[in-house]
Amino acid sequence: MTRSTPAIVILGQGSLATARRLQQLYPDALIHGLAERVEGADRSYHEFGATLRQLYQQNTPIIALCAAGIVIRTLAPLLLEKGAEPPVLAVAEDGSAVVPLLGGLGGVNVMAREMAAGLGVAAAITTSGELRFGTCLLNPPSGYALGDLELGKRFVSDLLGGESVRIEGAAPWLADAKLPEDAHARLSIHVGSAEREPTANELLIYPRSVLIACRRRLAGDSAISLAESIRQALHQANIAVQSLACLLAADTDMADRALHDAAAELGVPLRFAPAANSVVELAQQAVPQLLPPISSGDDLAIAVANQPLDPEQIGRPRGRLAVIGLGPGAAELMVPAVKAELARANDILGYETYVRMAGPFRADQVMHCTDNREEMQRARHAFELAAQGRSVVVVSSGDPGVFAMAAAVLEALHESTDPAWHNVDLEMLPGVSASLATAAQAGAPLGHDFCVLSLSDNLKPWAIIEKRLDLASQADLALAFYNPISRSRPWQLGRALEIVRQHRTPETPVVLGRDIGRPGQTLRVITLGALTPEQVDMRTMVLVGSSTTCTFPKASGGEWVYTPRWYKGS
């Protein structure tokens, strides 16, 4: 079983030293510290319960340095299926106790022993089978799959009741187990790839030693899905589907949805290799050590190895490029999908300020920091990396589709004739844009129709900006100004305000949000008549209300700003 990188979660400064000791065992793990109490953590969080539940739902192993009861009460609403749990452990603040709580089938006891050895203590293992036999029979190592969990529980129960067992097939990891072996035992552990009906006195363990090479299926090729075709082919060859290690396809079919759907349905990786004349030849070239493949028509070839296969060593994966939005800067305003994407990335590209905001990163993750004006070069570099099979993230602040990198990435792809670029798995992941983050701090100034404009004329003529300003102001839309002013553009904001004032009264509310979502953020509510360019810099978001925008005092000081959902004359 391949284990994900764990997260180390701490509640107080006193736990940090122990967390660092555990991090030496798992160098890629990040320490998550409660923002109000911990200094020096890799990542900060504000709400323990929400953070723990999010990590659990993302299938991330959790090492929580706190009382076991806190973890149990926090995760209790999520506990549904034992076989789907990530490992969860509670560790004493001083490292004196390691308690595995959840994830017996996910390797939690293995982790507990590793951590206890690193801390110089004994792990509080309570699982009967592991205590008696020194291994979890229901959690075979990477490269092997359990046949039936429910039958397996009964099998282990019989062993614990005093029965002996015989082992059939190659099971090297059981050599050091303390099993009561007897060549004539009623119970047997069978290790092999052949399809067979499970029985109560037999524990079936399948080596993941089978590869299926398949080709892209043309529309109308078959009335059944590719996954079902694979199941049928394996059945005809008397091979258990649990022994399937991966699917292999030609790299020219990398973007084919049916292949990806089949791999997802079967729960195996999909790998790619240079195209060959047939699926049989494709398998032979990609994995020469396989036994001669069995052809199943033109679509499929089944190949079996003498030992489990490592899909990471076969061909390469489809490259992935995600263009992400960090939001305004506060970690709690970053959407979970973006956090998950950053965690799995090989390469992170972007303007250095934004890349640093997205971190910290593991030692194996590569940062490619460039100047903020190098968008197209950055986009092309991202595709070059992703076309090699890497998982790549391009970072934007706010939302990547609002004056940011999503359009640049798509433009680079649109201009390219390289099939490898077009085969990349490309996705845009949204973030909270600066205008929406500023509006939320002020109340709801964008509560009705509004217009978002960049006042930068680096990429469009100023005459176009003036025309849009005039028309949007005439239409009585609330306005959001990005890039309002800079050293190289000191006069444009003043001219923009002249245009807006032709259509708005001096009493029109204006919100100025500077560095919203980042340390030192400021929010001011003034009027259009009082607004001057000197009050604004490049890091300020300017929101100008419509004719219906209102303000009223907050009980805590300051003002609420909102634009009603109704309109005059409605």
Side-chain angles (χ1 to χ4, degrees):
M1 177 178 291
T2 301
R3 193 166 65 215
S4 302
T5 301
I8 304 171
V9 185
I10 63 177
L11 284 164
Q13 196 69 32
S15 302
L16 187 58
T18 302
R20 291 294 181 204
R21 292 174 67 189
L22 292 171
Q23 196 174 41
Q24 293 175 6
L25 299 173
Y26 307 105
D28 293 340
L30 297 179
I31 297 174
H32 301 246
L34 185 60
E36 297 81 8
R37 298 183 186 174
V38 180
E39 293 182 6
D42 299 324
R43 284 194 178 159
S44 295
Y45 66 87
H46 291 275
E47 198 176 330
F48 178 78
T51 301
L52 221 62
R53 287 188 288 270
Q54 180 183 340
L55 291 168
Y56 183 89
Q57 290 171 320
Q58 291 174 350
N59 204 36
T60 301
I62 297 169
I63 303 169
L65 275 68
C66 62
I70 299 173
V71 180
I72 293 167
R73 285 190 294 273
T74 298
L75 297 179
L78 305 180
L79 305 185
L80 296 174
E81 185 180 344
K82 181 179 178 181
E85 295 169 349
V88 178
L89 304 98
V91 179
E93 182 179 290
D94 61 358
S96 61
V98 177
V99 183
L101 298 176
L102 298 169
L105 301 183
V108 70
N109 289 330
V110 174
M111 287 185 66
R113 288 193 175 95
E114 292 171 348
M115 293 160 56
L119 295 172
V121 298
I125 306 290
T126 58
T127 309
S128 300
E130 292 215 24
L131 288 172
R132 180 82 65 83
F133 309 128
T135 188
C136 180
L137 292 175
L138 305 185
N139 179 35
S142 178
Y144 295 84
L146 182 68
D148 186 289
L149 177 59
E150 293 306 315
L151 286 176
K153 291 177 184 177
R154 188 182 310 165
F155 183 92
V156 172
S157 178
D158 289 343
L159 273 183
L160 291 170
E163 295 241 21
S164 55
V165 65
R166 66 182 190 277
I167 299 174
E168 301 172 345
W173 82 94
L174 292 177
D176 297 326
K178 296 172 289 187
L179 293 172
E181 291 191 54
D182 183 337
H184 303 290
R186 181 180 70 88
L187 300 182
S188 66
I189 298 174
H190 180 84
V191 184
S193 60
E195 185 178 54
R196 55 195 287 155
E197 285 295 322
T199 63
N201 64 341
E202 187 175 53
L203 183 68
L204 299 181
I205 295 177
Y206 298 98
R208 294 189 180 275
S209 56
V210 177
L211 172 145
I212 289 191
C214 46
R215 73 172 182 87
R216 178 177 178 269
R217 303 176 72 173
L218 302 175
D221 267 8
S222 174
I224 63 173
S225 70
L226 178 57
E228 186 56 32
S229 293
I230 290 170
R231 290 191 186 95
Q232 290 182 7
L234 288 170
H235 177 68
Q236 291 168 3
N238 195 36
I239 295 174
V241 70
Q242 293 95 329
S243 284
L244 184 60
C246 71
L247 303 185
L248 179 70
D251 53 13
T252 51
D253 295 337
M254 199 171 279
D256 184 69
R257 177 47 51 195
L259 291 170
H260 291 276
D261 288 346
E265 187 175 334
L266 294 165
V268 296
L270 174 59
R271 308 290 290 187
F272 297 93
N277 293 325
S278 67
V279 286
V280 170
E281 189 176 324
L282 180 69
Q284 289 173 326
Q285 290 179 0
V287 194
Q289 70 269 28
L290 291 172
L291 301 177
I294 306 166
S295 176
S296 181
D298 296 329
D299 284 343
L300 303 173
I302 303 171
V304 181
N306 288 319
Q307 58 188 9
L309 294 169
D310 180 2
E312 295 293 323
Q313 303 302 315
I314 300 171
R316 65 183 179 89
R318 183 188 186 190
R320 177 170 171 82
L321 172 53
V323 189
I324 67 164
L326 298 176
E332 63 267 24
L333 294 180
M334 189 188 303
V335 303
V338 166
K339 293 179 181 179
E341 197 68 44
L342 286 167
R344 75 175 183 177
N346 303 124
D347 301 88
I348 300 92
L349 290 78
Y351 175 44
E352 183 170 2
T353 299
Y354 302 152
V355 171
R356 301 294 176 192
M357 285 169 55
F361 298 107
R362 302 186 306 271
D364 64 307
Q365 293 179 300
V366 183
M367 293 183 290
H368 307 266
C369 300
T370 50
D371 185 80
N372 206 20
R373 294 176 179 266
E374 298 178 8
E375 288 92 348
M376 292 307 297
Q377 298 96 311
R378 187 184 306 145
R380 295 182 186 110
H381 186 201
F383 276 110
E384 289 168 0
L385 291 168
Q388 299 169 23
R390 298 179 70 81
S391 181
V392 182
V393 164
V394 172
V395 177
S396 293
S397 68
D399 183 277
V402 180
F403 306 121
M405 283 302 302
V409 166
L410 287 170
E411 183 179 350
L413 183 60
H414 191 191
E415 292 174 351
S416 174
T417 57
D418 187 340
W421 285 25
H422 287 268
N423 279 333
V424 165
D425 180 16
L426 177 61
E427 186 174 5
M428 314 300 171
L429 296 178
V432 179
S433 187
S435 59
L436 301 181
T438 302
Q441 291 275 344
L446 305 180
H448 204 295
D449 300 339
F450 64 94
C451 176
V452 174
L453 290 164
S454 170
L455 299 190
S456 171
D457 59 352
N458 288 336
L459 300 175
K460 61 179 180 289
W462 178 254
I464 292 292
I465 296 174
E466 286 203 4
K467 181 178 180 181
R468 291 175 178 175
L469 275 167
D470 185 56
L471 293 172
S473 299
Q474 285 186 53
D476 198 21
L477 299 170
L479 305 171
F481 294 160
Y482 284 72
N483 309 312
I485 199 167
S486 70
R487 290 191 189 127
S488 62
R489 298 181 289 101
W491 59 271
Q492 282 95 328
L493 178 58
R495 174 59 185 144
L497 294 177
E498 289 176 7
I499 296 170
V500 175
R501 284 169 179 148
Q502 295 173 16
H503 306 282
R504 304 282 160 88
T505 67
E507 293 76 27
T508 302
V510 174
V511 177
L512 303 179
R514 187 177 190 275
D515 284 342
I516 297 298
R518 304 182 194 180
Q521 69 174 25
T522 60
L523 188 81
R524 295 179 60 197
V525 180
I526 61 173
T527 64
L528 183 59
L531 178 60
T532 64
E534 292 74 27
Q535 297 167 302
V536 175
D537 65 10
M538 190 66 176
R539 291 154 62 183
T540 304
M541 171 57 59
V542 180
L543 304 181
V544 180
S546 71
S547 65
T548 63
T549 301
C550 307
T551 65
F552 65 95
K554 289 183 179 180
S556 58
E559 293 180 279
W560 287 116
V561 184
Y562 77 102
T563 301
R565 292 173 297 163
W566 49 263
Y567 202 76
K568 295 175 181 177
S570 63

